[in-house]
Amino acid sequence: MLHYRKRSLLKKHSKQLTLFLARSLDRGGAERQLVALAKGLAKNGHHVAVAVFYGGGVFDAELAAAGVRLINLDKRGRWDVLSFLIRLLALVRDERPTILHSYLTVPNLLTVILKLFTGDSRVVWGVRASNMDLSRYDKLSRLSYWLECRLSRFADLIIANSQAGKQYATNNGFCADKIVVIPNGIDTAFFRFDNDGRQRVRAEWKIAEDEVLVGLTARLDPMKDHSTFITAASIVAQKHHNVHFVCIGSGQDDYAGLLKQQATSLGDRLLWVGARDDMSAVYSALDIASSSSFGEGFSNTIAEAMACSRPCVVTDVGDSAWIVGNTGLVVSASNPEALAAGLLKLINLSSRDKDELGTQARIRVEQEFAIETLITRTEQMLGLT
C-alpha cells in the first residue's frame, strides 16, 4: 500500500485514471462492492486506484493481490482534519483523475471540495442506503447527511445501488436527474454452496445436521434491527426445540451488550460469532438466511446467501423483495410476529422444498446480479467503454 504524504511519492500515469475514495476497506457491503468493482475494471484494462482515509482494512490485501494501487491517506482519527485534507488535495492535484468516484456520505462531501482542484475530473457519488432512521444516529451523522442532500447538485453523476435508495435520496433533496441505479454484483464463483465448509462451521458451532440453523448476517447497527430478529427467534424457539439461531457480524460493544441482554432468554440457542472471513462456508452452514432491517438499499448479505443456495426470509425494505423474487419470503419490517411467521413457514417445509427454493435462489442471482453485470453497467455509465 502506498502512503500519501507528498506528491513526489506517487508516479504520474498517462492513462485515464478512475480514483475511488472511501473511508476504509473494512468489512461492509459497500466496501466489498468497491473492491469487486475496482478489481473488475482493472481486469478489463482500465487504470484504477483506491484512496482510503484509514489503511489496514480486511480487503486491502485482496486489492493488492489484484494489482490495484491502494493509497493510504493516513488519517489519524476524527479530528485529524487539516493535515488529512492537505494530503488529499495533494493527491488529486498530482493524480488528476479523469473520474473521482466516492463511496458513502463523508467521501461524497469531500469531493465537493476536491472538485475545485481536479480540473476536468468527473465527480461520481456512490449512494448505498435507503430509509435510514437518522434519529438513531449522532448529530454529526445527521448533519453530514443533510449536507450531502444539499450538495448533491455538485456531483456529475450519482450511482445508487437500489431503486429504493434512489427514491429515498430524491425524497430528501438529491438531484433526481443525476441519479442512475446500478444494482450490486455478486461473485458467484466465490459465493456458492460449500458442503465441506458447511460441515466444518456447523461442527465449530456445535449444530447437529438434524437441527435447523437460522442466520442473520449484518453489522450490529440499529438499522439492521437485530432486536426484531431476537424477538422473532424467541417466538420460533417456543414452537420448535430443534431450531438454533446465529448472528454474524460485529459492532460497537455497548450496542452489542444491549442486544445480548435482550437475547438472554434464548441462552445457547442464539450464537454471536462476530465478523467472519469464510462467508461462503458460513452461509452454507445455514438452513435459512434472514434479514430484519428496517432500512436497506441493496442487501449484499441476502444476495450472497442466495448465491450459496440458501432460502431467505427478509423484511420488505429497499430492494429486498425484488432481490428475493419468488425464491423466499418477504414480511413487513419492525414486526417480529411477521418475521417469526415467515421463518416458521420455511422451517416447516420439507427438506426437498427448502432445497428447491435454494436452487432457484442461486439461479436468480446468476441471472440478475452477477459481478460481470455490475462491471459492464458501470463501464457504460462512466463512459469507459
Side-chain angles (χ1 to χ4, degrees):
M1 181 191 299
L2 295 174
H3 294 258
Y4 198 87
R5 296 193 179 279
K6 50 188 177 182
R7 301 178 199 177
S8 60
L9 289 179
L10 288 177
K11 180 181 178 182
K12 289 186 174 65
H13 297 264
S14 58
K15 285 185 176 181
Q16 291 187 339
L17 170 66
T18 298
L19 177 65
F20 290 93
L21 179 64
R23 184 179 183 277
S24 72
L25 294 182
D26 284 334
R27 290 183 183 89
E31 292 80 3
R32 183 182 293 280
Q33 288 296 301
L34 188 160
V35 170
L37 180 57
K39 288 170 56 180
L41 292 176
K43 183 178 179 180
N44 284 358
H46 303 293
H47 181 39
V48 176
V50 178
V52 293
F53 300 0
Y54 304 99
V58 296
F59 295 126
D60 288 8
E62 186 175 336
L63 270 188
V68 177
R69 196 160 48 113
L70 180 60
I71 304 161
N72 180 6
L73 290 160
D74 284 321
K75 200 170 190 297
R76 297 178 181 86
R78 172 176 283 189
W79 306 115
D80 176 20
V81 178
L82 183 58
S83 62
F84 164 73
L85 286 176
I86 290 172
R87 291 192 296 276
L88 181 56
L89 287 170
L91 169 66
V92 297
R93 280 177 165 173
D94 193 59
E95 292 290 318
R96 294 189 294 277
T98 311
I99 298 167
L100 181 60
H101 192 340
S102 52
Y103 266 60
L104 305 179
T105 298
V106 174
N108 287 346
L109 290 174
L110 286 175
T111 60
V112 175
I113 299 172
L114 297 174
K115 192 169 184 178
L116 300 173
F117 301 90
T118 55
D120 295 330
S121 297
R122 294 180 63 210
V123 169
V124 179
W125 282 10
V127 174
R128 317 299 297 180
S130 70
N131 194 32
M132 292 179 63
D133 184 354
L134 292 172
S135 67
R136 298 180 183 236
Y137 296 86
D138 61 26
K139 291 181 179 178
L140 184 58
S141 296
R142 295 196 296 272
L143 174 61
S144 296
Y145 185 70
W146 182 85
L147 286 171
E148 188 181 21
C149 295
R150 301 308 180 273
L151 298 178
S152 64
R153 66 182 184 275
F154 293 105
D156 295 296
L157 178 69
I158 300 170
I159 298 177
N161 67 339
S162 66
Q163 292 291 342
K166 176 180 178 178
Q167 188 61 55
Y168 179 75
T170 301
N171 291 346
N172 283 282
F174 274 68
C175 298
D177 59 345
K178 292 188 176 183
I179 305 178
V180 298
V181 176
I182 302 178
N184 287 357
I186 305 301
D187 184 351
T188 55
F190 177 80
F191 289 105
R192 60 189 308 118
F193 181 72
D194 175 4
N195 188 59
D196 290 340
R198 173 184 172 86
Q199 303 304 321
R200 172 178 57 78
V201 172
R202 287 176 74 98
E204 175 188 341
W205 294 345
K206 297 180 172 58
I207 304 296
E209 191 55 38
D210 62 350
E211 294 176 317
V212 177
L213 183 59
V214 179
L216 172 64
T217 303
R219 69 183 185 276
L220 303 184
D221 180 280
M223 190 170 66
K224 303 301 181 181
D225 202 2
H226 287 73
S227 180
T228 284
F229 179 76
I230 292 167
T231 303
S234 299
I235 296 171
V236 172
Q238 292 174 7
K239 298 179 182 294
H240 285 275
H241 298 294
N242 71 328
V243 179
H244 291 253
F245 307 88
V246 59
C247 289
I248 306 110
S250 58
Q252 294 185 355
D253 291 341
D254 54 350
Y255 185 61
L258 291 174
L259 293 174
K260 291 176 182 178
Q261 185 177 6
Q262 180 191 350
T264 301
S265 64
L266 283 163
D268 60 5
R269 292 182 67 181
L270 173 56
L271 304 175
W272 300 86
V273 300
R276 302 276 299 214
D277 292 323
D278 55 341
M279 286 306 302
S280 184
V282 167
Y283 288 126
S284 298
L286 306 178
D287 297 294
I288 298 168
S290 182
S291 173
S292 55
S293 300
F294 61 75
E296 284 286 354
F298 184 107
S299 174
N300 283 333
T301 61
I302 294 172
E304 289 168 358
M306 290 169 61
C308 294
S309 303
R310 301 300 88 188
C312 298
V313 180
V314 306
T315 48
D316 191 8
V317 295
D319 283 7
S320 296
W322 174 58
I323 296 169
V324 169
N326 62 0
T327 72
L329 296 177
V330 181
V331 302
S332 57
S334 303
N335 187 338
E337 290 78 16
L339 181 59
L343 292 173
L344 286 167
K345 187 171 182 179
L346 284 196
I347 289 167
N348 291 330
L349 290 178
S350 67
S351 296
R352 179 178 179 179
D353 287 343
K354 282 199 283 285
D355 288 344
E356 177 59 25
L357 280 179
T359 298
Q360 293 304 313
R362 166 79 183 182
I363 292 171
R364 179 162 177 77
V365 172
E366 290 176 326
Q367 292 178 343
E368 299 289 341
F369 310 119
I371 194 72
E372 293 79 12
T373 304
L374 165 71
I375 295 164
T376 298
R377 289 171 176 168
T378 303
E379 286 177 323
Q380 292 171 347
M381 285 296 108
L382 298 183
L384 298 176
T385 55

